[in-house]
Amino acid sequence: MASTALPTVPPPRVAPGEDAYAAWYGRVLGWTVTGGPPAQLVTGIGFDVLELPSDAGTALLRRPVATGPVAVMGRRMRFLVAPGSAEELDGLLDWLEWGGVALDLTALGAGGRITAPAPPGPPPGESPRGAAVWLRPPEQGCEALLPALPGPGRAAGPARGPDLVRLVAAAATECHRARLGRRTNGVRQPLAFS
């Protein structure tokens, strides 16, 4: 008796650059890539992510605070920080006296994912509006210099890399300023008399 095999349906086609994106992240940076399209970078292994509104992130980039790689997607900016930093965010915000203030400042750590921006270099084609892009692209070995808390008995500094406490303090300030600016934008402020 002949078996009647059902025709095999090929998997959906991937955008031409999508496979190249995933291959670049795995081959050049050694980062874990999953899912797709679009490819997703797994957080909590080589890096965590500090995420904030893009208007606050833009102001943060103007400040003299050292950062690692920075990506933007839509209205959110993502600052790569050392693995384990996401677990420290709430405690740092409390310690910096920002605890309980609505800042729209979040962190992604173990088990999180972000959309993989196009690798640095000439774009393979036109990116869709709102696609993830690198503002400060990663380089091979950049994980060693991501913002982190200083270890016991070690101070932060150029040999250690950027200081997570300074980055979080500046990010919280800019998130608060951006939030206040959005609330008062277009609203006439009362005159203050002394």
Side-chain angles (χ1 to χ4, degrees), residues 54-192:
S54 58
D55 54 351
T58 300
L60 179 57
L61 288 173
R62 290 189 200 116
R63 295 182 79 158
V65 176
T67 71
V70 180
V72 66
M73 182 171 177
R75 295 177 184 224
R76 304 292 292 173
M77 200 168 287
R78 296 166 173 164
F79 290 74
L80 272 57
V81 293
S85 298
E87 297 170 11
E88 304 293 337
L89 181 62
D90 290 339
L92 279 174
L93 290 173
D94 286 342
W95 184 72
L96 293 165
E97 298 184 359
W98 284 106
V101 178
L103 296 173
D104 197 12
L105 176 62
T106 60
L108 295 169
R113 299 177 184 187
I114 63 169
T115 300
E126 191 172 318
S127 296
R129 186 176 189 97
V133 295
W134 287 110
L135 299 178
R136 291 186 179 166
E139 296 175 358
Q140 191 173 23
C142 68
E143 298 86 355
L145 297 175
L146 292 176
L149 290 175
R154 291 178 27 186
R160 166 60 207 115
D163 185 357
L164 181 65
V165 176
R166 290 174 194 241
L167 179 60
V168 169
T173 300
E174 294 305 336
C175 284
H176 186 63
R177 286 179 178 166
R179 181 172 175 256
L180 291 175
R182 286 189 295 271
R183 289 181 72 197
T184 59
N185 192 13
V187 176
R188 191 173 189 171
Q189 298 298 309
L191 296 175

